[in-house]
Amino acid sequence: MKNNVLLVSNPVSGGVDKFEFIDAVVNFAAQKKQLLIQYETSGNKDISKIKALYKKYTPDRILIIGGDGTLKMVAEAIANQDVILGLLPAGSSNGLAVEMDLMKTFEENLEIAFQNNFTELDLITINGKKCIHLSDLGVNAKLVENYEKSDTRGRWGYLLQIVNTLIDLGTPFLATIKANNQTYKTQARMIVIANSKKYGTGVTINPNGVMDDGKFELVILKNLDLIVFGKIITGNIPVDSEDVEIISTAKATIKTNFPVNFQIDGEYCGLENHLKIKMSTQKIKIAIPSTII
């Protein structure tokens, strides 16, 4: 049986020093008599470097200290490999950890990460890139861009950029969506490509989300005034109103009348006006508490 564990840590995620977290993982792995290989992301060819480490050590487990962006990076690197991912959430955006009830103490998550209980989750492919959790076009993606450019990290940084983004909304875009052998044309402020229910803030954006059902949802927010926005952030997304439409599908294309801000799993990806979206054949294994199974 292999006893190799790869630790991938993101030193800048969440604006939090990771030294104590890494030290705790080192000590825990030593107690378990497992060889720990450490990798710190740098923003320079991280995916190819993680691939090389996986090929060299073939770990049966990869621990991730970071947020959704770091998790997505690892998922890209280990595509189609049989390995359990252990989440140690420490990012500005921890949407998947929130979704899976893994926003616990670091010590609790460390115990879970080394267990053999896991669930297999779907992945989405968007223009050839993997999406694990939530991606979107429009307002939230602009918020992500503003946050990445800001010097203020953490929850306060997000709150500040929410205000700045809503003040400068700009004009809505027109979208042509093809899904389920139908064509939809709509004005929108934001279109969410959702594999799950919640953003990392805990806000429910897709009440229908199930992460292992072979489908994703397109959540179309046609209006995003203060009333609709207030309902969303208080967990009362108006799914039965004219402001919101949800399409469940396994494949879709979205074309917009001008390039729109786009993000995948909390990572800003620039402007896009054409998205090709489908379920991936790849799944990922995420360590979970035994009580969830």
Side-chain angles (χ1 to χ4, degrees), residues 6-13 39-54 62-81 83 85 87 93 96 123-124 128-133 148 264-267 269 282 284 286:
L6 174 60
L7 171 64
V8 176
S9 60
N10 185 336
V12 300
S13 63
Y39 178 76
E40 184 177 87
T41 64
S42 66
N44 180 26
K45 299 181 179 179
D46 287 313
I47 291 177
S48 61
K49 292 175 181 177
I50 295 170
K51 280 183 179 178
L53 285 171
Y54 183 87
I62 300 178
L63 308 187
I64 300 164
I65 300 179
D68 290 333
T70 312
L71 171 60
K72 186 175 82 71
M73 178 191 302
V74 172
E76 294 271 6
I78 55 99
N80 300 315
Q81 302 294 345
V83 57
L85 304 183
L87 305 186
S93 175
L96 186 63
L123 291 179
I124 304 169
K129 296 182 178 180
K130 295 290 192 300
C131 167
I132 299 172
H133 184 236
E148 288 184 358
I264 297 179
D265 289 332
E267 178 185 352
C269 299
Q282 179 190 357
I284 57 170
I286 303 292

Side-chain angles (χ1 to χ4, degrees), residues 101-173:
D101 193 27
L102 290 172
M103 293 303 291
K104 304 178 183 295
T105 67
F106 189 84
E107 292 74 17
E108 288 174 311
N109 278 324
L110 193 53
E111 288 278 358
I112 293 167
F114 273 88
Q115 292 176 4
N116 291 321
N117 305 300
F118 64 85
T119 186
E120 288 191 291
L121 303 182
D122 293 331
L123 291 179
I124 304 169
T125 299
I126 307 174
N127 287 0
K129 296 182 178 180
K130 295 290 192 300
C131 167
I132 299 172
H133 184 236
L134 293 167
S135 302
D136 50 61
L137 280 164
V139 174
N140 186 66
K142 180 61 178 175
L143 166 61
V144 171
E145 181 194 25
N146 290 342
Y147 179 79
E148 288 184 358
K149 291 179 178 178
S150 171
D151 293 329
T152 306
R153 316 311 286 173
R155 186 172 293 273
W156 284 112
Y158 263 117
L159 291 174
L160 175 63
Q161 295 313 318
I162 285 173
V163 174
N164 291 340
T165 304
L166 289 177
I167 288 173
D168 188 24
L169 268 181
T171 59
F173 57 91

Side-chain angles (χ1 to χ4, degrees), residues 15 22 36 61-62 78 113 127 159 176 224 257 264 272 290:
I22 294 171
L36 183 70
R61 190 177 310 270
I62 300 178
I78 55 99
N127 287 0
L159 291 174
T176 300
L224 201 58
N257 62 324
I264 297 179
E272 294 286 352
S290 57

